Amino acid sequence: AMKTVGKFSRRQKSASYSVAYIIMPEKVAIIGSGNWGSAIARIIGVNCARHEDYETTVEMWVFEEQVDGKNLTEIINTTHENVKYLPGVKLPVNVHAEPNLEKAVTGATLLVFVLPHQFLPRTVPNMKNAYAPNARGISLIKGIEFEDNKPMLISDLIKKAMGGMDISVLMGANVANEVAQDQFCESTVGTRDMANGPVWQKLFNYDTFLVNVVNDVPGVELCGALKNVVALGAGFCDGLGLGGNTKAAIIRIGLAETIQFCKMFFSGIKDQTFLESCGVADLITTCYGGRNRKCAEA
């Protein structure tokens, strides 16, 4: 028999207390829907459907355009395929394409930025602060900006535009089409606050997409940008008909100079970051197969 405590049995009392601690699930919005955005939406969609910590429906903002006389959002929502940017790959049914950015981010607690960085300044104001007040963001944007002849992190630009929101980054050896085909790869989350690590890791981590978290935003982000410079060198090497030894030297020197660059302009850079997927692995895959390498070879 249950002992009674005051008006409640012990079981009832503990149940009434636990109600106060129910954690609302995270609501995810993806800002961008290109090749990489659609590939990562597959993973996010599956994870939001299987983990109770996230709302099942994922809103993906799509810049509306016409494909064969139909709206791209309509095609995605009926066929569950981004026929323009990731053809032949099915998206989970819980990923909803939304052309209205304000609507897409309404109430969102987790914002995933995955659009070309030149579109950020005109995109952010259209959110009209519709996202949740405690929202956190993550940038999957590989690139770099300059201000007063100094490098600026894209994540810092987003942070500033979003009124000081905490922005983490996800970078790695993640060629989008391979990720979409469930070929195994790794990726790296860089965060300033390790307390935010688990929510991002759980959102992205998947059987074929292994995510590690490091307490280093600038190191992770700069690796994602600077590897493209090294890849140009690797492409010139291929175009000149030089072999594996020369390319290996370019990759090694490129990595050393990347580390030097990071530490020269930013503090808090961790040596371990360069051994993560965002560092040496992304550098290698880009120098052997990336777009920058192909352009330079030509």
Side-chain angles (χ1 to χ4, degrees), residues 27-285:
K27 184 172 168 55
V28 182
I30 304 170
I31 299 141
S33 56
N35 186 232
W36 181 217
S38 299
I40 208 69
R42 268 185 87 239
I43 291 173
I44 291 173
V46 169
N47 282 339
C48 285
R50 67 181 179 144
H51 295 312
E52 290 178 355
D53 323 42
Y54 307 94
E55 277 190 26
T56 303
T57 301
V58 175
E59 292 292 346
M60 177 173 74
W61 175 64
V62 176
F63 182 79
E64 193 68 281
E65 48 190 306
Q66 298 288 304
V67 178
D68 295 331
K70 286 185 183 170
N71 287 340
L72 182 56
T73 52
E74 194 188 324
I75 296 168
I76 294 171
N77 289 330
T78 50
T79 67
H80 304 291
E81 181 184 339
N82 188 335
V83 291
K84 180 157 186 185
Y85 296 107
L86 193 65
V89 176
K90 287 291 176 192
L91 299 175
V93 293
N94 57 312
V95 173
H96 176 256
E98 175 53 62
N100 181 312
L101 181 58
E102 186 184 355
K103 210 168 161 188
V105 302
T106 296
T109 59
L110 298 176
L111 300 173
V112 179
F113 292 88
V114 56
L115 70 168
H117 66 92
Q118 61 268 30
F119 297 145
L120 276 170
R122 68 182 108 149
T123 302
V124 171
N126 294 332
M127 293 186 198
K128 298 178 181 162
N129 295 335
Y131 45 84
N134 61 337
R136 293 166 282 180
I138 193 163
S139 170
L140 278 62
I141 303 166
K142 290 181 177 177
I144 194 166
E145 285 284 346
F146 287 88
E147 207 173 76
D148 302 326
N149 292 324
K150 282 186 182 167
M152 281 280 293
L153 299 176
I154 304 289
S155 62
D156 281 343
L157 296 176
I158 297 172
K159 182 176 183 167
K160 195 174 169 186
M162 301 297 286
M165 180 185 289
D166 184 83
I167 305 289
S168 300
V169 293
L170 178 108
M171 305 280 155
N174 307 141
V175 175
N177 291 333
E178 294 177 22
V179 173
Q181 290 161 18
D182 287 328
Q183 294 182 23
F184 179 81
C185 68
E186 298 177 303
S187 201
T188 313
V189 165
T191 184
R192 286 188 171 85
D193 181 357
M194 285 303 270
N196 288 330
V199 74
W200 294 123
Q201 187 174 34
K202 200 168 184 179
L203 183 64
F204 293 107
N205 199 64
Y206 184 63
D207 299 346
T208 52
F209 195 78
L210 201 66
V211 177
N212 196 27
V213 181
V214 294
N215 189 12
D216 178 3
V217 169
V220 172
E221 189 170 344
L222 286 166
C223 281
L226 296 173
K227 53 113 191 205
N228 287 316
V229 180
V230 186
L232 288 170
F236 295 143
C237 178
D238 290 339
L240 291 166
L242 300 167
N245 296 343
T246 315
K247 192 191 274 196
I250 285 170
I251 292 171
R252 187 203 70 76
I253 295 163
L255 181 60
E257 290 184 357
T258 297
I259 296 169
Q260 196 180 352
F261 182 98
C262 290
K263 291 185 173 180
M264 182 182 290
F265 291 105
F266 293 92
S267 57
I269 304 285
K270 307 273 194 303
D271 286 334
Q272 178 62 29
T273 299
F274 301 100
L275 295 177
E276 296 290 339
S277 179
C278 62
V280 67
D282 196 12
L283 182 60
I284 291 167
T285 192

